Amino acid sequence: SQMAPSLLGPKLAPLEKKLEELLNKHGLSTRDLGRRIKLLYAGKRQMNSTVFETVAHATFDRRRLAVRHLNRSTSETIEREISPIDITLYRGNWYVNAWCHLRDDLRRFAVDAIEHATILAEQAQEVDEVCVEQALGAGYGIFSGKRMQRAQLCFTPERANWVKSEEWHPEQVGRLLADGSYQLEVPYTDEREILADLMRYGSGVEVLKPPALRIAMKKALHEALGTYL
């Protein structure tokens, strides 16, 4: 399974115990768990469980990893050493935040894009948590970047009832306008993911600023329309 219970089972034991207590309180057995709680992942990618366990073990044991990683944007496979910092489950897929010794910088790698991983004898390089958060956790979504920008978006009244209850980012600012539309501002450092999410709304959202994001949205919509001409 994607949660790799053979490795994470002991770590999740306290949560499992609380869940079992809750089930017992309501007169349910653990057999009801699968019937009453559903985990649905749209867009979940296939992952090598052996690679996941290797990455997770190195993360917990604070050891370096030698990995062979596929860059999907360039189709280039690169071998490198990394010091794993933590692992994250995001939208059904696992990522490892790490110090990349090849680039001498912080990087985030999709575990499913790691073709092979070997635990090394060297201790992992420790990185200050504040630096990690600033570099990898500041902007919108899973992509990271150096230059922080703020996207100003306006959703139609039809979409506002859904979006106004959603958290797109901890530092977002939203307000309901007089005509029922909803204006939302979110920080981002890389436009790829926010563009992909906005495309789902079609005519239900307008990018107001920055100009570069507005232009990128218009280009993406034009190219999508061109597919059907």
Side-chain angles (χ1 to χ4, degrees), residues 45 47 51-60 62-69 80-90 93-100 105-117 124-125 132 136 142 144:
R45 300 184 296 269
M47 180 183 64
V51 169
F52 174 84
E53 291 203 10
T54 301
V55 170
H57 270 304
T59 303
F60 296 146
R62 310 308 306 128
R63 301 271 292 281
R64 288 193 190 189
L65 281 165
V67 301
R68 185 169 68 243
H69 174 260
R80 65 183 83 205
E81 284 189 18
I82 64 173
S83 287
I85 299 167
D86 56 46
I87 52 177
T88 301
L89 181 64
Y90 178 73
N93 297 297
W94 286 97
Y95 297 84
V96 56
N97 293 328
W99 181 266
C100 176
D105 201 0
L106 286 164
R107 290 288 189 274
R108 176 178 285 136
F109 302 98
V111 176
D112 58 276
I114 297 176
E115 300 176 348
H116 183 75
Q125 178 173 320
V132 176
L136 300 178
I142 203 67
S144 59

